[in-house]
Amino acid sequence: MGFDLQNFGIGLITGWASAYGIYRARHQISQAVQATRSQAASAQNFATRSADSRYINDLTELCEHAHLAGKTVKLTDILVEPRFLRAPELAAPPDDDVIHSVFHIVPHVHDHPYLHAVYNLETLSIDDLAMGDPALALLGLPGSGRTTALLTIALRSLGQVRFLQTEDHVQTALDAQEAALSDKERAARVQERMLIEERAKERLQEEHGMTFESNAEEKGQRVTAPLFNRLMPVYIHLADITLSPDEFGSEIDPAEPLVRAVQGTVSRITAGTLPRNLYKRLSMGQVLLLVDGYDDLPPTERDHKMIWLRQFMNEYNKNFFVVAGPAQGYGALTGLGLAPVFMRPWDDADRDTVVQRWADSWPRIAGTGRRSAPPPTEALLERARANNRALSPVDLTLKVWSTYADDSQAPGYEGWLRAFIARHLPKEQSIGVLLPQMAQVAALQLNEGFITLKQLEALTAGGGLDASMAALLDDLNRGGDEEEAAPEVKGKKDKKTVEEVSAQGKFLNILRRSGLLVSHRGGRLQFRHAFVAAYLASLTLKDPQVIAAKALNPAWSQALAYAGMHTSIETAIKARLNAPVDILQSHLLEMSRWLAYSGAKAEWGGGLLKQIGNILIAPNQYPLLRERAAAALISTRDKKTLFVFRQAARSANAHVRLLACLGMGAIGEAEAIADLVPLLQDKDTDVQMAAGMALGAIGTEEALEEMVIALTEGSDRLRQAVAESLAAIPDEGQPVLFDAISHEDMPVRRASAFGLRRLKSTWSAIALYKTFLEDDQWYVRSAAQQALQDVQEGERRGPRAYPSPQQIAWLAEWAAARGEGIPPGEAGTQILITALQQGEPELRLLSARVLGQTGKFNAAKALYATLRDRQEEVRAAGHRALADLETQLGKPLPAPI
């Protein structure tokens, strides 16, 4: 056969073009192949039998529709990728060789999360969760998205969801430039980039011992699906775990209650074939168990469920566990060995994504039959985007839905809540007619934990419900399904049973069919969403004495917050202010969120802001309380807090100035820029960094100009803080980093390397590889090396539970110097307490922090003693440790007098 030069040339050009496309899309291709293989693996694991296929379909249906707007839109149509925050690293002696993240100065106050929400914190993805311990406690506030996160993990495990990256403006510009090149020039650039990456990895491996996973796809090797894609996801609510001896007998396999609970979430056919398969998967360690509802249980029931969960985890310890829990009071979960992971609150980009995805889905959401609704107007989009900081995921979803539907009958939160409830009710009924009855049912849930027909009938007999119930039900049932039995006797359709269904049973069934109530095993019901129960129950709070009596009841806290929208809650405010002060000042600071709902009409708001502001700026104050006060001020959503932070920025105390900067950034008002710019040159480096981060959180053109000046003229740490903040700003910030990595000034290039490590893009990776290989300054090359190492290690680090005292190196060294070892169990904890009492100041500080982080409640007395230590740092560490204990316990510990 002769040599065909023309065809060779065409093939070469085509190959060059294909090479460029493959290189640019190699990560997307890898993800697509991985997703395909993951789905294939899932199908292979679970769909070999028809029973498995039915289970997947049922679980997917549950996950797609068990969210806030599940009656109108699939979760995957409006989903924002959930992200997570690690718990703080266990306290350890400082390592001078490690360049720590600049964002360590941002406090994580998880019960007031809106201060840290706007900053570019390092987060974990769903896939990252699988890289750590196989037992996780997923923690956050009600409304923070924990249930949605569990549902999303299940969908991710089944290969039903992929998360799209935001538009990369730098890469788009580079693509446009290369599109103008010839195919030969373009292919040459591709080859150059590939060689740079290969050379950099080889040098990093040879000189620094870094290892990189080979591209198995390119070498034809088998790709192993991610862990979660190799497990069978199982979602349960703890309220559906019943432990009655009448049902199971005195001795049971702890898997039996689980199987019964899962059967209640699937179709009847699936329920009949599920048990054998589920038992098999559990025995083989192939289950990803997603446990919800710990918060929804009454406190009296939680201990029993934790005993069951402990037995289950001991018996089936080869499986993977994710258990949702509260931001405060999660000690029972971590006590089981679950590694704590916190929900990362939505940032500005997440909130904008929510607004846009709802807009994209709105024609289907609001459409009827085959007719789509018109998309939201630009004016509605602007309303939906405005003033969204410090809104929880639940609050923002209600706002966006109400804005697009334009069905709110009142302004603000109350209008959004009423509109949400009204959408679920029978169309022929006015919400005003049903609210009094629903309010009483909701109050029953807050008081008792669950709603049962028996309880409701007893309440009615005692005069607790309006006498108009019967007439109301006649109206509701007219033309409706008269044969729907009460929840506790559902399924018995004989005529006698139908006739005996009480008015209360019919009312509960109406609410259940509407989707407002959800049934749990044992004839127990709850409102599907806790915020609905809280709002409805708030409507019963009219008597000042009753309001005062509920003031310190945790179950009624959110109801009191909502009550401020329509009722004076002054008596509750006074009751809280007169209550004994706890370590966390929770009685006072929790009211900051109440102010967000009550708004300007709250006469008590000004006094509350003053008290919280005083905690922030008090000269002799524990650092933790300052941090909590700053975070609580952001929770109020009150614009007057800017004045408090501007005053705090003039404090002589550096920690106060730092928190003032972060607070002004979290508020996001452009007028704060004038206060922040001078602080870029503060004598304290941490304050400088906080000011730079705050400018990034404000994000206006003026703020970005000041950041660029700081990047070129500031201290090294300020430059790094600015660069890492710019990485979170796609439109303007990332192009600055692209230019800065080749800037003539060495400190600018070094800082840019740390900014680029926060990006997951082709151009940023190549820029780091090239800088590591070619920059003429060792100081810059070392930064690029550190950045590449951080990226590589970060991909392999998942969340871990805190170690036992035996596993703490510095403690073992101290004990060995005394001729002692560290025994297991409580005796090991005693070594920590001894170090707290007898060690040098640094050792006392470390011991205090570790005792708090690991939840050693028996050390409380010793920790209180540290509050009288001569060293200020030790006193602060002891206070922080006691705060950790209170946070995990979920009950107040008395503040020192």
Side-chain angles (χ1 to χ4, degrees):
M1 182 179 291
F3 178 71
D4 190 333
L5 179 62
Q6 182 178 7
N7 286 340
F8 172 77
I10 293 173
L12 181 63
I13 292 172
T14 303
W16 279 338
S18 300
Y20 172 73
I22 290 171
Y23 180 79
R24 270 282 293 116
R26 69 192 192 285
H27 296 302
Q28 289 89 339
I29 291 171
S30 175
Q31 291 171 4
V33 170
Q34 192 177 68
T36 301
R37 294 200 173 190
S38 297
Q39 292 182 45
S42 297
Q44 206 169 26
N45 285 336
F46 310 136
T48 52
R49 302 177 186 174
S50 59
D52 296 321
S53 180
R54 286 193 294 268
Y55 173 74
I56 291 174
N57 292 335
D58 288 355
L59 179 60
T60 301
E61 183 73 10
L62 170 69
C63 294
E64 290 280 24
H65 298 288
H67 62 103
L68 198 62
K71 293 186 71 174
T72 60
V73 63
K74 289 183 178 181
L75 177 60
T76 47
D77 290 339
I78 57 171
L79 182 63
V80 172
E81 179 183 3
R83 305 290 296 189
F84 313 95
L85 297 172
R86 289 186 179 90
E89 295 287 343
L90 190 74
D95 186 345
D96 295 334
D97 295 331
V98 176
I99 301 175
H100 295 283
S101 167
V102 292
F103 286 94
H104 75 277
I105 67 171
V106 180
H108 295 188
V109 184
H110 295 292
D111 54 328
H112 293 282
Y114 307 110
L115 176 67
H116 65 260
V118 300
Y119 294 105
N120 190 23
L121 309 177
E122 298 196 39
T123 61
L124 298 168
S125 67
I126 287 176
D127 294 339
D128 293 333
L129 297 183
M131 302 297 289
D133 286 351
L136 306 177
L138 182 57
L139 309 173
L141 290 173
S144 62
R146 291 166 300 167
T147 295
T148 300
L150 292 178
L151 300 175
T152 306
I153 291 170
L155 291 170
R156 182 74 168 176
S157 173
L158 295 173
Q160 298 294 319
V161 62
R162 293 179 61 196
F163 303 112
L164 301 178
Q165 300 297 318
T166 56
E167 183 181 357
D168 190 328
H169 297 278
V170 173
Q171 193 64 62
T172 300
L174 292 174
D175 290 347
Q177 290 176 9
E178 296 197 353
L181 301 175
S182 68
D183 291 332
K184 184 175 180 179
E185 292 171 325
R186 193 180 309 125
R189 287 197 179 187
V190 171
Q191 186 177 19
E192 179 186 4
R193 286 193 287 264
M194 294 176 73
L195 287 173
I196 288 173
E197 181 174 356
E198 185 177 350
R199 284 172 51 212
K201 288 183 175 180
E202 288 177 356
R203 182 179 297 180
L204 287 165
Q205 186 166 352
E206 291 172 1
E207 298 179 3
H208 305 286
M210 290 176 58
T211 57
F212 295 86
E213 294 180 5
S214 60
N215 190 328
E217 279 298 312
E218 293 178 2
K219 296 185 177 182
Q221 298 173 2
R222 181 177 179 274
V223 174
T224 302
L227 176 61
F228 282 175
N229 294 104
R230 289 179 272 132
L231 300 176
M232 174 184 180
V234 172
Y235 172 85
I236 62 163
H237 192 288
L238 280 172
D240 291 322
I241 297 292
T242 59
L243 306 172
S244 171
D246 295 337
E247 182 176 359
F248 298 107
S250 57
E251 294 186 9
I252 62 169
D253 181 334
E256 289 187 47
L258 171 70
V259 172
R260 296 284 179 90
V262 178
Q263 285 180 301
T265 67
V266 296
S267 66
R268 185 176 301 176
I269 296 176
T270 306
T273 57
L274 175 69
R276 180 179 178 183
N277 187 40
L278 184 50
Y279 278 117
K280 178 182 177 182
R281 301 290 180 188
L282 287 168
S283 298
M284 296 173 66
Q286 295 179 349
V287 168
L288 169 60
L289 182 60
L290 307 167
V291 182
D292 203 359
Y294 180 81
D295 293 22
D296 298 331
L297 300 176
T300 54
E301 196 171 310
R302 291 175 187 170
D303 289 345
H304 298 294
K305 296 300 171 69
M306 289 302 98
I307 292 172
W308 166 80
L309 186 56
R310 181 184 294 277
Q311 293 172 340
F312 183 90
M313 291 176 64
N314 289 339
E315 184 72 22
Y316 297 96
N317 53 36
K318 295 180 181 179
N319 297 281
F320 202 111
F321 303 87
V322 183
V323 185
Q328 288 201 349
Y330 58 83
L333 299 177
T334 53
L336 297 178
L338 301 170
V341 179
F342 294 89
M343 293 297 301
R344 197 259 196 260
W346 282 352
D347 59 16
D348 289 345
D350 292 329
R351 288 187 281 268
D352 288 344
T353 298
V354 169
V355 171
Q356 189 57 53
R357 290 194 176 162
W358 267 84
D360 294 341
S361 301
W362 189 250
R364 299 189 302 278
I365 294 172
T368 55
R370 298 182 180 178
R371 180 175 298 179
S372 297
T377 64
E378 190 58 37
L380 289 176
L381 282 167
E382 287 302 311
R383 278 173 52 193
R385 292 191 189 106
N387 193 28
N388 287 338
R389 285 201 175 174
L391 288 181
S392 70
V394 161
D395 292 338
L396 180 58
T397 301
L398 293 178
K399 174 192 172 180
V400 172
W401 196 350
S402 186
T403 299
Y404 291 164
D406 197 22
D407 60 355
S408 176
Q409 301 299 313
Y413 292 98
E414 188 157 27
W416 309 338
L417 287 160
R418 285 184 175 243
F420 177 83
I421 295 169
R423 294 184 204 109
H424 288 76
L425 296 176
K427 292 183 179 180
E428 65 273 13
Q429 290 296 324
S430 165
I431 184 174
V433 175
L434 297 177
L435 276 180
Q437 312 297 343
M438 290 191 293
Q440 295 290 343
V441 175
L444 179 61
Q445 176 176 318
L446 266 58
N447 286 330
E448 304 295 335
F450 292 98
I451 305 157
T452 67
L453 179 59
K454 184 176 181 180
Q455 289 171 329
L456 190 61
E457 289 176 340
L459 186 65
T460 307
L465 283 177
D466 193 287
S468 62
M469 172 74 83
L472 173 63
L473 288 166
D474 287 343
D475 291 340
L476 288 172
N477 285 327
R478 193 170 293 126
D481 181 8
E482 294 290 345
E483 295 189 356
E484 180 68 41
E488 291 183 300
V489 293
K490 183 181 177 183
K492 300 178 181 179
K493 295 294 185 178
D494 59 279
K495 183 176 180 181
K496 181 178 180 181
T497 299
V498 172
E499 291 174 349
E500 291 177 353
V501 172
S502 65
Q504 294 85 352
K506 292 180 181 179
F507 185 61
L508 291 179
N509 276 312
I510 290 167
L511 297 182
R512 185 174 53 79
R513 290 198 302 267
S514 74
L516 289 173
L517 288 183
V518 61
S519 297
H520 295 297
R521 298 191 73 230
R524 304 186 300 176
L525 299 99
Q526 287 181 324
F527 280 89
R528 184 179 297 274
H529 304 292
F531 71 89
V532 173
Y535 172 68
L536 291 171
S538 78
L539 301 177
T540 67
L541 296 176
K542 299 177 181 179
D543 185 328
Q545 293 184 340
V546 173
I547 292 173
K550 303 289 188 185
L552 300 178
N553 186 335
W556 281 82
S557 180
Q558 188 60 39
L560 284 163
Y562 286 147
M565 298 187 298
H566 52 73
T567 304
S568 171
I569 56 173
E570 290 277 358
T571 55
I573 303 298
K574 292 178 180 177
R576 282 192 162 236
L577 294 178
N578 292 329
V581 180
D582 63 318
I583 286 285
L584 294 174
Q585 296 265 2
S586 56
H587 292 328
L588 174 67
L589 299 182
E590 192 176 68
M591 291 189 292
S592 65
R593 197 56 181 173
W594 296 9
L595 183 57
Y597 296 105
S598 296
K601 63 183 178 182
E603 296 180 357
W604 47 270
L608 179 66
L609 289 178
K610 183 177 180 180
Q611 284 189 267
I612 298 176
N614 288 338
I615 294 175
L616 174 64
I617 64 175
N620 296 314
Q621 185 61 274
Y622 290 111
L624 176 70
L625 287 180
R626 286 203 179 101
E627 295 167 3
R628 291 183 56 77
L633 287 170
I634 303 301
S635 291
T636 66
R637 283 175 49 87
D638 192 310
K639 297 301 183 184
K640 292 190 290 292
T641 57
L642 179 59
F643 174 78
V644 178
F645 286 120
R646 295 176 80 172
Q647 292 294 108
R650 297 171 174 80
S651 172
N653 184 291
H655 191 225
V656 175
R657 297 198 303 277
L658 181 152
L659 293 171
C661 292
L662 296 176
M664 287 187 281
I667 294 171
E669 292 291 339
E671 62 185 281
I673 295 174
D675 298 89
L676 291 168
V677 170
L679 293 168
L680 294 170
Q681 301 177 15
D682 194 273
K683 60 185 179 182
D684 187 279
T685 304
D686 285 354
V687 176
Q688 296 174 16
M689 292 194 298
M693 295 172 190
L695 290 171
I698 292 173
T700 63
E701 183 176 347
E702 181 186 358
L704 290 168
E705 289 175 358
E706 296 293 345
M707 293 176 74
V708 172
I709 294 172
L711 182 64
T712 56
E713 300 179 0
S715 66
D716 280 355
R717 293 293 275 171
L718 172 58
R719 293 174 197 259
Q720 183 181 344
V722 167
E724 293 198 39
S725 297
L726 288 170
I729 308 175
D731 294 350
E732 297 90 359
Q734 292 175 12
V736 171
L737 293 177
F738 175 77
D739 292 335
I741 195 62
S742 56
H743 195 274
E744 60 184 10
D745 289 345
M746 179 263 294
V748 175
R749 299 198 303 277
R750 175 178 169 81
S752 301
F754 290 111
L756 292 178
R757 80 179 177 89
R758 303 298 304 277
L759 303 176
K760 294 184 178 179
S761 60
T762 300
W763 68 266
S764 62
I766 292 299
L768 285 174
Y769 289 132
K770 188 172 183 180
T771 300
F772 169 68
L773 289 173
E774 301 178 359
D775 198 280
D776 58 3
Q777 295 290 332
W778 170 86
Y779 199 49
V780 178
R781 294 197 304 273
S782 68
Q785 173 201 324
Q786 180 70 52
L788 291 168
Q789 186 171 342
D790 288 347
V791 171
Q792 184 71 2
E793 291 181 354
E795 292 175 352
R796 301 175 182 175
R797 285 182 59 220
R800 304 282 180 185
Y802 289 131
S804 67
Q806 287 178 296
Q807 299 168 306
I808 301 174
W810 58 262
L811 183 64
E813 291 175 6
W814 179 79
R818 292 163 53 96
E820 300 178 23
I822 303 179
E826 291 302 318
T829 300
Q830 188 57 49
I831 298 291
L832 265 176
I833 295 174
T834 302
L836 174 69
Q837 296 169 332
Q838 300 178 14
E840 295 298 316
E842 181 182 0
L843 193 72
R844 297 202 301 275
L845 185 154
L846 292 175
S847 301
R849 292 292 293 117
V850 169
L851 287 166
Q853 288 177 301
T854 55
K856 305 301 183 185
F857 300 107
N858 59 335
K861 182 177 180 180
L863 288 170
Y864 271 108
T866 65
L867 302 182
R868 298 189 298 272
D869 196 280
R870 285 186 246 177
Q871 298 290 326
E872 181 181 356
E873 293 81 1
V874 176
R875 295 197 299 272
H879 180 269
R880 195 175 291 270
L882 286 167
D884 285 339
L885 294 183
E886 179 174 329
T887 298
Q888 295 176 54
L889 188 62
K891 297 179 181 178
L893 295 178
I897 299 175

